[in-house]
């Protein structure tokens, strides 16, 4: 079966069904053996992550037997999977529980993310909120919207461009090193205010729906950013790597800065990197 825009609702419902089955029953119910560290005490994996990814992957392969499925936890076991994304005619990229640290510590800010990539281009992104029981969805060329639990669809747009000193934004610190880390920390204070959810799913939702202005990320794992960047762009926003080049599914480094438009991106880039 080939992917088309009519499959968006099926994919959205799949993420919600798996959240009900595999994620929410474990929320605030995890035992000591259900949580494991990956690279640090802040980088965790839980039984919810592995079980949700397994079920989503199984359902995708049943419906799209020729598609490549790239999940965060599968890639943790076999990093060679990352290299296969760029050549896949059709691929699904899954983050089964984005914001695992929040999930594991009982904070209700986490999401399920899925991106659809066709011949190296992201064509759809879905972020499901298992707590709020809704979705933010973007489709290439068709805009972005929030789909409520009651089926209501509301188009979203990024915030209007504004001066840097009026901006609300997030900088993901944990994967930055000095001297850039210190430079960005100092210059972030030139903005109006900051937020940090430790959850890209909710950060992208906040920015794509016009309730914040920008975000900066240094680590570019495809499951963390492909869906969110597509949703943000379809909501009218602009994203590029730190050097101004376009962000593509194959990119794993180079950083990422997202803003309301290109002019605002350039203003932010100049302000945040200034000596």
């Amino acid at each position: 079966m080939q992917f088309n825009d009519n499959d968006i609702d099926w994919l959205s419902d799949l993420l919600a069904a798996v959240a009900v089955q595999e994620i929410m029953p474990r929320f605030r119910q995890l035992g000591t053996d259900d949580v494991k560290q990956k690279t640090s005490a802040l980088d965790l994996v839980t039984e919810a992550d592995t079980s949700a990814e397994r079920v989503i992957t199984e359902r995708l392969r049943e419906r799209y037997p020729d598609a490549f499925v790239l999940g965060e936890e599968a890639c943790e076991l076999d990093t060679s999977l990352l290299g296969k994304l760029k050549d896949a005619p059709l691929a699904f990229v899954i983050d089964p529980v984005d914001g695992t640290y929040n999930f594991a510590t009982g904070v209700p800010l986490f999401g399920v993310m899925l991106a659809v990539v066709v011949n190296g281009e992201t064509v759809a992104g879905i972020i499901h909120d298992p707590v709020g029981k809704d979705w933010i969805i973007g489709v290439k060329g068709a805009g972005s919207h929030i789909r409520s639990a009651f089926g209501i669809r509301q188009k979203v747009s990024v915030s209007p461009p504004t001066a840097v000193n009026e901006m609300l934004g997030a900088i993901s610190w944990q994967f930055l090193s000095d001297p850039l880390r210190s430079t960005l920390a100092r210059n972030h204070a030139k903005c109006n205010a900051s937020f940090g959810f430790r959850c890209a799913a909710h950060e992208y939702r906040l920015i794509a729906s016009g309730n914040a202005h920008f975000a900066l990320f240094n680590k570019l794992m495809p499951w963390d950013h492909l869906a969110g960047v597509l949703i943000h762009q379809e909501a009218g926003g602009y994203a590029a790597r730190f050097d101004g080049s376009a962000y593509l599914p194959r990119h794993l480094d180079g950083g990422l800065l997202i803003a309301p438009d290109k002019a605002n991106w350039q203003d932010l880039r100049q302000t945040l990197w200034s000596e």
Side-chain angles (χ1 to χ4, degrees):
M1 180 175 182
Q2 296 298 311
F3 171 80
N4 61 64
D5 291 356
N6 296 327
D7 296 342
I8 294 297
D9 283 346
W10 184 88
L11 293 169
S12 301
D13 291 342
L14 169 64
L15 301 188
V18 174
V20 170
Q21 175 184 332
E22 303 292 343
I23 297 173
M24 293 310 295
R26 293 178 167 94
F27 184 49
R28 295 179 176 166
Q29 302 296 323
L30 294 169
T32 303
D33 294 336
D34 295 329
V35 183
K36 296 179 175 61
Q37 290 188 21
K38 291 199 277 191
T39 61
S40 72
L42 298 179
D43 185 14
L44 306 176
V45 62
T46 74
E47 286 298 310
D49 295 77
T50 55
S51 296
E53 181 173 306
R54 174 180 50 78
V55 176
I56 293 171
T57 299
E58 289 172 355
R59 299 292 183 270
L60 288 171
R61 286 176 174 162
E62 288 172 1
R63 187 174 176 93
Y64 308 94
D66 297 326
F68 173 58
V69 181
L70 177 65
E72 177 180 6
E73 306 314 326
C75 195
E76 184 73 16
L77 299 175
D78 181 3
T79 56
S80 70
L81 293 173
L82 276 171
K84 299 178 180 180
L85 178 60
K86 66 180 186 300
D87 297 321
L90 173 62
F92 297 95
V93 181
I94 311 164
D95 192 339
V97 181
D98 183 73
T100 298
Y101 179 82
N102 293 344
F103 179 83
T105 55
V107 177
L109 279 174
F110 50 89
V112 188
M113 304 176 76
L114 182 144
V116 185
V117 180
V118 175
N119 294 320
E121 180 184 19
T122 310
V123 299
I126 303 169
I127 299 175
H128 175 58
D129 177 2
V131 177
K133 298 182 179 179
D134 63 3
W135 305 257
I136 186 165
I137 300 167
V139 178
K140 186 76 174 178
S144 294
H145 66 274
I146 289 175
R147 173 186 163 194
S148 77
F150 308 104
I152 299 170
R153 299 169 192 261
Q154 180 179 2
K155 185 176 176 62
V156 296
S157 300
V158 300
S159 64
T162 189
V164 171
N165 64 2
E166 294 294 327
M167 287 187 172
L168 168 64
I171 294 179
S172 182
W173 302 107
Q174 64 266 39
F175 300 110
L176 288 162
S177 57
D178 280 324
L180 181 58
R181 180 185 175 103
S182 295
T183 299
L184 293 174
R186 180 182 69 250
N187 290 327
H188 199 181
K190 298 176 182 178
C191 301
N192 186 29
S194 64
F195 66 93
F197 294 159
R198 290 196 57 83
C199 177
H202 278 278
E203 290 170 349
Y204 276 113
R205 177 179 175 134
L206 192 72
I207 298 168
S209 59
N211 293 299
H213 300 93
F214 75 91
L216 185 153
F217 304 96
N218 192 49
K219 185 179 180 182
L220 302 187
M221 292 293 100
W223 43 81
D224 288 327
H225 300 293
L226 293 184
V229 168
L230 189 280
I231 290 167
H232 179 259
Q233 289 174 330
E234 286 299 316
Y238 183 81
R241 295 198 293 173
F242 293 166
D243 64 1
S245 61
Y247 168 60
L248 301 174
R250 67 174 185 269
H251 289 147
L252 303 178
D253 56 17
L256 182 63
L257 179 63
I258 65 173
D261 65 9
K262 186 173 182 178
N264 255 180
W265 188 98
Q266 293 170 334
D267 290 344
L268 270 168
R269 177 65 172 80
Q270 182 176 1
T271 300
L272 293 176
W273 268 257
S274 63
E275 296 297 333

